[in-house]
Amino acid sequence: MSEKIYPDAATALAGLIEDGQTLAVGGFGLCGIPEALITALRDTGKKRLTVVSNNAGVDGFGLGLLLETRQISKMVSSYVGENKEFERQFLAGELQLEFTPQGTLAERLRAGGAGIPAFFTRTGYGTVVAEGKETRQFDGEWYVMERGIRADVALVKAWKADKAGNLVFRKTARNFNPMAATAGAVCVAEVEQLVEVGAIEPDQVHLPGIYVDRIVVNATPEKRIEQRTVSK
């Protein structure tokens, strides 16, 4: 079990990342993103990466760091939103983008992790999302076939882990991280707290350690706020 623990993010990624790989990266906006692992990923210098993530962070933070260094050649995501460099590269034809509805993206990751190669959903039928995809009618309604997603490496962020890799996520950070973790052939988890095996109640485990290969502790993540709203 102790073999899963790595001293820092760079060491945790050593020997895993290669040019042209597909990576599943957890997070929802800036919530629950593996900040230290993303910085270490940038520092590998690997390029032509396909990154599957709900969005791409913001300019200068999160996956936005990898867009600035042109290490990402394709994004599979549901939201461009807050990242001006993401928007600029896409509109300039410098970045491939596979737009996927948010719920469909979550299910594609979950399906990939569960060994389900494809599924049908009504979401996106009759829109550009369905272009080039198989459609089929069930019970009088039309559905679009979506492929499950498998990634070479998954990078996720959890609140707590035990030394066997069992993970607990906090609140919004649970949205995409568990699905991203299961979709990766290898999963690296960045955690804020590391406890002994048995310290987490079995009913409180959100992701079993069988899915987690490497763990790195980042006890003081920056946790930026994407959109700050305060009362008047």
Coordinates of all heavy atoms in Angstrom, one line a residue, residues 25-35 38 53 155-159 169-177 190 192 223-224:
V25 N -8.9 14.6 -16.7 CA -8.6 15.5 -15.6 C -9.8 15.9 -14.9 O -10.8 16.4 -15.5 CB -7.8 16.7 -16.1 CG1 -7.4 17.6 -14.9 CG2 -6.5 16.3 -16.9
G26 N -9.9 15.6 -13.6 CA -11.1 15.9 -12.8 C -11.2 17.4 -12.5 O -10.3 18.2 -12.8
G27 N -12.4 17.8 -12.0 CA -12.6 19.2 -11.6 C -13.9 19.7 -12.3 O -14.3 19.2 -13.3
F28 N -14.4 20.8 -11.7 CA -15.6 21.4 -12.1 C -15.4 22.9 -12.0 O -15.4 23.4 -10.9 CB -16.8 20.9 -11.2 CG -18.1 21.4 -11.7 CD1 -18.8 20.8 -12.8 CD2 -18.8 22.5 -11.1 CE1 -20.0 21.2 -13.2 CE2 -20.0 22.9 -11.6 CZ -20.6 22.2 -12.6
G29 N -15.1 23.6 -13.1 CA -14.6 24.9 -13.0 C -13.2 24.9 -12.4 O -12.4 24.1 -12.9
L30 N -13.0 25.6 -11.4 CA -11.7 25.5 -10.6 C -11.9 24.7 -9.3 O -10.9 24.6 -8.6 CB -11.2 27.0 -10.3 CG -10.9 27.8 -11.5 CD1 -10.3 29.2 -11.0 CD2 -9.9 27.2 -12.4
C31 N -13.1 24.2 -9.1 CA -13.3 23.4 -7.9 C -12.8 21.9 -8.1 O -13.2 21.3 -9.1 CB -14.8 23.4 -7.6 SG -15.2 22.4 -6.1
G32 N -12.0 21.4 -7.2 CA -11.6 20.0 -7.3 C -10.6 19.7 -8.4 O -10.6 18.6 -8.9
I33 N -9.8 20.7 -8.9 CA -8.8 20.4 -9.9 C -7.5 20.0 -9.2 O -7.2 20.5 -8.2 CB -8.6 21.6 -10.9 CG1 -8.0 22.8 -10.1 CG2 -9.9 22.0 -11.6 CD1 -7.5 23.9 -11.1
P34 N -6.8 19.1 -9.8 CA -5.5 18.6 -9.3 C -4.4 19.7 -9.6 O -3.6 19.5 -10.5 CB -5.3 17.3 -9.9 CG -6.0 17.4 -11.3 CD -7.2 18.3 -11.0
E35 N -4.4 20.7 -8.8 CA -3.5 21.9 -9.1 C -2.0 21.5 -9.3 O -1.4 21.9 -10.3 CB -3.6 22.9 -8.1 CG -5.1 23.4 -7.9 CD -5.1 24.4 -6.7 OE1 -4.1 24.9 -6.2 OE2 -6.3 24.6 -6.2
I38 N -1.3 19.3 -12.3 CA -1.4 20.0 -13.6 C -0.1 20.8 -13.8 O 0.5 20.8 -14.9 CB -2.6 20.9 -13.6 CG1 -3.9 20.1 -13.7 CG2 -2.5 21.9 -14.8 CD1 -5.2 20.9 -13.6
S53 N -11.8 17.0 -20.0 CA -12.1 17.7 -18.7 C -13.3 18.6 -19.0 O -13.5 19.1 -20.1 CB -10.9 18.5 -18.3 OG -11.1 19.0 -17.0
L155 N -5.9 12.2 -13.9 CA -5.4 13.1 -12.8 C -6.6 13.6 -12.1 O -7.4 14.3 -12.6 CB -4.6 14.2 -13.4 CG -3.4 13.9 -14.3 CD1 -2.7 15.1 -14.8 CD2 -2.4 12.9 -13.7
V156 N -6.7 13.3 -10.8 CA -7.8 13.7 -10.0 C -7.4 14.3 -8.7 O -6.3 14.2 -8.2 CB -8.8 12.5 -9.7 CG1 -9.2 11.8 -11.0 CG2 -8.1 11.4 -8.8
K157 N -8.4 15.0 -8.1 CA -8.2 15.7 -6.8 C -9.2 15.2 -5.8 O -10.4 15.2 -6.1 CB -8.3 17.2 -7.0 CG -8.5 18.0 -5.7 CD -7.2 18.0 -4.9 CE -7.5 18.7 -3.6 NZ -7.8 20.2 -3.7
A158 N -8.8 14.8 -4.6 CA -9.6 14.3 -3.5 C -9.3 15.1 -2.3 O -8.2 15.6 -2.1 CB -9.5 12.8 -3.3
W159 N -10.2 15.1 -1.4 CA -10.0 15.8 -0.1 C -9.2 14.9 0.8 O -8.2 15.3 1.4 CB -11.4 16.1 0.6 CG -11.3 16.6 2.0 CD1 -10.6 17.6 2.4 CD2 -12.0 16.0 3.1 NE1 -10.8 17.8 3.8 CE2 -11.6 16.8 4.2 CE3 -12.9 15.0 3.3 CZ2 -12.1 16.6 5.5 CZ3 -13.4 14.7 4.5 CH2 -13.0 15.5 5.6
F169 N -14.2 12.7 -1.6 CA -14.3 14.0 -2.3 C -15.2 14.9 -1.4 O -16.1 14.5 -0.7 CB -14.8 13.8 -3.7 CG -14.0 12.9 -4.5 CD1 -14.4 11.6 -4.7 CD2 -12.9 13.3 -5.2 CE1 -13.7 10.7 -5.4 CE2 -12.1 12.5 -6.0 CZ -12.5 11.1 -6.1
R170 N -15.0 16.2 -1.6 CA -15.8 17.2 -0.9 C -16.7 17.9 -1.9 O -16.2 18.6 -2.8 CB -15.0 18.2 -0.1 CG -14.3 17.6 1.1 CD -13.8 18.7 2.1 NE -14.9 19.2 2.9 CZ -15.3 20.5 2.9 NH1 -14.6 21.4 2.1 NH2 -16.3 20.9 3.6
K171 N -18.0 17.8 -1.7 CA -19.0 18.6 -2.3 C -18.9 18.6 -3.8 O -18.8 17.6 -4.5 CB -19.1 20.0 -1.6 CG -19.3 19.8 -0.1 CD -19.5 21.2 0.6 CE -19.8 20.9 2.1 NZ -20.0 22.1 2.8
T172 N -18.7 19.8 -4.4 CA -18.7 19.9 -5.9 C -17.5 19.2 -6.5 O -17.6 18.8 -7.7 CB -18.6 21.4 -6.3 OG1 -19.7 22.1 -5.6 CG2 -18.8 21.6 -7.8
A173 N -16.5 19.0 -5.8 CA -15.3 18.3 -6.3 C -15.7 16.8 -6.6 O -14.9 16.1 -7.3 CB -14.2 18.3 -5.3
R174 N -16.8 16.3 -6.2 CA -17.2 15.0 -6.5 C -17.9 14.9 -7.9 O -18.2 13.8 -8.4 CB -18.2 14.5 -5.4 CG -18.4 13.0 -5.4 CD -19.3 12.6 -4.2 NE -19.6 11.2 -4.2 CZ -20.5 10.6 -3.3 NH1 -21.0 11.4 -2.4 NH2 -20.7 9.4 -3.4
N175 N -18.1 16.0 -8.5 CA -18.9 16.0 -9.8 C -18.2 15.1 -10.9 O -18.8 14.3 -11.5 CB -19.1 17.4 -10.3 CG -20.3 18.1 -9.7 OD1 -20.9 17.5 -8.7 ND2 -20.6 19.2 -10.1
F176 N -16.9 15.4 -11.2 CA -16.3 14.7 -12.3 C -15.1 13.8 -11.9 O -14.7 13.0 -12.6 CB -15.8 15.7 -13.3 CG -16.8 16.2 -14.3 CD1 -17.6 17.3 -14.1 CD2 -17.0 15.4 -15.5 CE1 -18.6 17.7 -15.0 CE2 -18.0 15.8 -16.4 CZ -18.8 16.9 -16.1
N177 N -14.5 14.1 -10.7 CA -13.3 13.4 -10.3 C -13.5 11.8 -10.2 O -12.7 11.1 -10.8 CB -12.8 13.9 -9.0 CG -11.9 15.1 -9.1 OD1 -10.9 15.0 -9.7 ND2 -12.4 16.2 -8.6
E190 N -4.3 13.5 -6.3 CA -3.7 14.6 -5.5 C -4.7 14.8 -4.3 O -5.9 15.0 -4.5 CB -3.6 15.9 -6.3 CG -3.1 17.1 -5.5 CD -3.0 18.3 -6.4 OE1 -2.7 18.2 -7.6 OE2 -3.2 19.4 -5.9
E192 N -5.6 16.3 -0.1 CA -5.2 17.2 0.9 C -4.8 16.5 2.2 O -4.0 17.0 3.0 CB -6.4 18.2 1.2 CG -6.6 19.1 0.0 CD -7.8 20.0 0.2 OE1 -7.9 20.6 1.3 OE2 -8.7 20.1 -0.7
K223 N -6.7 26.8 -4.5 CA -8.2 26.8 -4.5 C -8.7 28.2 -4.9 O -9.5 28.9 -4.2 CB -8.8 26.4 -3.1 CG -8.6 25.0 -2.8 CD -9.3 24.7 -1.5 CE -9.1 23.2 -1.1 NZ -9.9 22.9 0.2
R224 N -8.4 28.6 -6.1 CA -8.9 29.9 -6.6 C -10.4 29.9 -6.8 O -11.0 28.8 -7.0 CB -8.3 30.3 -7.9 CG -6.8 30.7 -7.8 CD -6.3 31.3 -9.1 NE -4.9 31.4 -9.2 CZ -4.2 31.9 -10.2 NH1 -4.9 32.4 -11.2 NH2 -2.9 31.9 -10.2

